[in-house]
Amino acid sequence: MHMAVHILEEAQRCLHCKVPQCQKGCPIHTPIPHVIRLMLDKKLDEAGWMLFENNPLTTVCSLVCNHENQCEGHCVLGRKGAPVHFSSIEHYISSTYSNKMVKGPAPSNGIRVAIIGSGPAGLTIAVILARKGYQVTIFEGKDKIGGVLRYGIPDFRLPKSVLDDFEYRHLRLKGIKVRPNTTIGGAIGIDDLFRDGYKAIFVGTGVWQPNALHIKGETLGHVHFAIHYLNNPDSFHLGERVIIIGAGNAAMDVARTAVRKGAREVVCFSRTSSVAASRHEFDYASLEGVTFLYNKAPVEIVDEGVIFEDVVEQPGGTFAHVEGSRALYPADSVIISISQGPRNRIVNTPKGIEVNARGLLVTDEEGHTTRPGVFASGDVVNGARTVVEAVEHSKHVAEAMDAYMRDLS
C-alpha cells in the first residue's frame, strides 16, 4: 500500500514551511520537514535516526496513526489539494533504517528498572531507559510483546513482522530482558520487585476489560466483545451474518477482519447519526462491503439476532427512544465494540497505589503514582487513547523516572 506512493516524488512536494503545521498537528512533534530534507539530501540514515530518537515506535506510528487528523491533516497543501503523505515517507525511512540498527546495549549504569506491560507506553519507556544504560526487564502478561499493537490491531493494518522486528532491534539487541506470560500481582508482585533491587517500576498495562452494554442477552453464546475477537480472530466462528454494535475504529477493525475471515454480511450499528471512526477506516470498511445503520440503540440480544430501537439525539448528549420502533435485526453473531477499561490485579493489590472511580491509575503529569518509585502512563492512566499519545506522554514519564532514580543514587 505504501509503495503505491512514489516516496521521493511525494517528499519533493514538501514546501519546507517556516512554521510547519504538520509538526504542530503531530502529537509527538516529529520534525517532519527536517526529516524530509535529510532524505532528499541522501542522508537517509540521519533521517531514520532522527525519527527513532524522537519516537521509538516510528515504524508502528507510520502505519497506525490517524494521519488525516494529525500531520497530513495540517499540511498546507491539503487545503487546496492532496497533503504530503508523510505516513508513507515515514514508513519508508523508518523501516529501511531499522534494518541497519545493530548497536548493542549502552554501557550499564547498574540500576534495575521493571516495566509492567509491553504496549506502546511500556515499550517507549523501556527503549528510552535502556539508551541511558538502565538494566530493563519487561513483564508481559501475554506470550508476545506489543500489547494492543499485537492483540488489538489487525494484521492488515499493522503486520506482526513490524513488532517482531522491533523486539529484535530494540529489545534483544539493547539487552532488554522480557518475561512473557508473567502477570505482576500473580505469583510475583510489586513488593517483590522492590525487594530484588528494582529502583523504579513502570505500569503500562493498558485497558483490556471490555465495556458491557448491560442489556438482556449479553451472555449468550453467539455474543462476543471486540477486544476478545481482535485478540485472536481465528478462534471465533462468527457465521455468515455479523452485527457489530458500535462504530469506532475498533469496530472498523472488527468489521474488516470479519469480512476477511469469511463473513458474508457485516453491519455496524451506531447510536449517533455518524461513525466515531476515522474517515479513512470508514471508507475502507465501506469499500470492503460493510454496511452502516445510524440512530439505533440495542434493547435486547436474542438467539436470532439483536432487537434495536430508533433513537433521537437530544441536546446535552442524551437520547430519546422512538416509541414503536423496535425491530429484530437477524445475525449469526453479535460483536460489542463500545471501548474498554482497565482490568488488572496490579491495580487493586499493592498498598499505596491509588485508582480513580473508573479504575484508572491516578498519576501526576510526570507519571508518578501515589506510591514512590511506581510510575504509570498510557491507557491505564488516560483511558483508551491513541498509540502516538501514549508514546508522547511516556517520553516525559521516562525522563521523570530517570530523574527519580538519579536522585536516589
Side-chain angles (χ1 to χ4, degrees):
M1 169 180 143
H2 279 270
M3 294 315 287
V5 179
H6 196 311
I7 301 300
L8 281 170
E9 280 176 19
E10 200 54 28
Q12 281 154 358
R13 294 178 55 231
C14 176
L15 301 174
H16 302 284
C17 304
K18 283 277 184 288
V19 181
Q21 296 304 310
C22 53
Q23 194 163 335
K24 278 193 185 165
C26 170
I28 201 163
H29 315 299
T30 303
I32 292 171
H34 196 165
V35 166
I36 290 177
R37 165 63 51 220
L38 284 171
M39 184 182 95
L40 292 174
D41 290 346
K42 296 196 169 55
K43 294 176 179 167
L44 192 64
D45 289 359
E46 279 178 53
W49 184 85
M50 185 172 277
L51 283 174
F52 277 104
E53 197 63 18
N54 176 63
N55 177 359
L57 288 180
T58 171
T59 48
V60 170
C61 289
S62 68
L63 295 171
V64 304
C65 268
N66 184 352
H67 302 103
E68 69 191 65
N69 287 2
Q70 294 166 354
C71 51
E72 296 173 13
H74 285 71
C75 174
V76 293
L77 290 174
R79 290 175 199 169
K80 293 241 171 20
V84 174
H85 290 98
F86 183 67
S87 54
S88 306
I89 297 170
E90 180 180 16
H91 181 64
Y92 171 75
I93 296 174
S94 62
S95 48
T96 306
Y97 177 69
S98 177
N99 298 320
K100 303 180 177 185
M101 298 175 80
V102 292
K103 216 166 102 191
S108 170
N109 63 13
I111 302 175
R112 283 185 204 282
V113 182
I115 309 284
I116 304 171
S118 68
L123 292 177
T124 301
I125 305 261
V127 168
I128 291 174
L129 293 180
R131 284 176 186 164
K132 295 176 185 291
Y134 289 95
Q135 298 305 106
V136 181
T137 300
I138 295 176
F139 297 85
E140 171 48 55
K142 294 192 185 296
D143 59 346
K144 288 196 161 89
I145 63 122
V148 70
L149 303 173
R150 187 182 293 272
Y151 296 102
I153 299 179
D155 222 34
F156 57 85
R157 282 217 295 136
L158 179 63
K160 304 289 179 261
S161 57
V162 173
L163 298 172
D164 296 338
D165 179 70
F166 184 94
E167 179 168 18
Y168 175 67
R169 305 263 162 213
H170 295 273
L171 305 186
R172 272 185 287 173
L173 281 181
K174 291 192 172 44
I176 296 171
K177 303 255 190 314
V178 179
R179 286 182 63 161
N181 294 324
T182 307
T183 306
I184 300 296
I188 48 179
I190 294 230
D191 295 336
D192 301 316
L193 295 171
F194 281 129
R195 175 200 70 202
D196 290 347
Y198 290 91
K199 288 288 177 270
I201 296 168
F202 173 77
V203 182
T205 45
V207 286
W208 294 93
Q209 180 85 342
N211 290 343
L213 289 164
H214 303 295
I215 59 173
K216 192 164 182 247
E218 206 164 6
T219 68
L220 299 182
H222 63 311
V223 183
H224 310 288
F225 288 108
I227 192 82
H228 298 159
Y229 177 67
L230 291 170
N231 226 305
N232 183 4
D234 291 329
S235 52
F236 290 76
H237 304 285
L238 300 182
E240 300 212 335
R241 306 176 83 159
V242 180
I243 280 178
I244 298 168
I245 301 174
N249 280 337
M252 302 305 116
D253 284 342
V254 169
R256 297 178 64 196
T257 302
V259 166
R260 283 163 175 71
K261 299 294 180 187
R264 296 270 170 271
E265 192 184 317
V266 179
V267 190
C268 280
F269 285 76
S270 173
R271 192 180 289 260
T272 61
S273 56
S274 61
V275 299
S278 74
R279 183 84 218 170
H280 177 89
E281 290 303 312
F282 171 74
D283 288 346
Y284 274 95
S286 306
L287 176 66
E288 290 164 18
V290 178
T291 51
F292 294 85
L293 291 174
Y294 302 97
N295 298 115
K296 297 199 183 293
V299 179
E300 185 185 345
I301 303 172
V302 294
D303 288 322
E304 300 75 38
V306 184
I307 298 167
F308 284 94
E309 192 166 60
D310 293 351
V311 289
V312 180
E313 276 176 84
Q314 310 282 41
T318 55
F319 294 88
H321 288 251
V322 178
E323 285 296 314
S325 63
R326 287 190 179 192
L328 170 70
Y329 291 81
D332 300 317
S333 299
V334 180
I335 298 183
I336 297 164
S337 181
I338 54 166
S339 193
Q340 59 276 344
R343 89 157 171 227
N344 225 309
R345 272 184 299 232
I346 293 183
V347 172
N348 40 33
T349 40
K351 291 185 258 326
I353 298 183
E354 203 181 308
V355 295
N356 68 13
R358 290 168 61 198
L360 299 168
L361 291 186
V362 175
T363 71
D364 65 8
E365 284 295 293
E366 294 187 315
H368 301 85
T369 66
T370 50
R371 179 164 175 180
V374 180
F375 295 77
S377 84
D379 290 356
V380 76
V381 173
N382 298 315
R385 300 277 277 279
T386 62
V387 172
V388 69
E389 285 171 307
V391 176
E392 211 286 317
H393 183 215
S394 300
K395 281 175 68 176
H396 298 296
V397 177
E399 296 304 328
M401 291 176 73
D402 179 42
Y404 169 82
M405 289 184 283
R406 276 211 303 253
D407 284 349
L408 285 182
S409 47

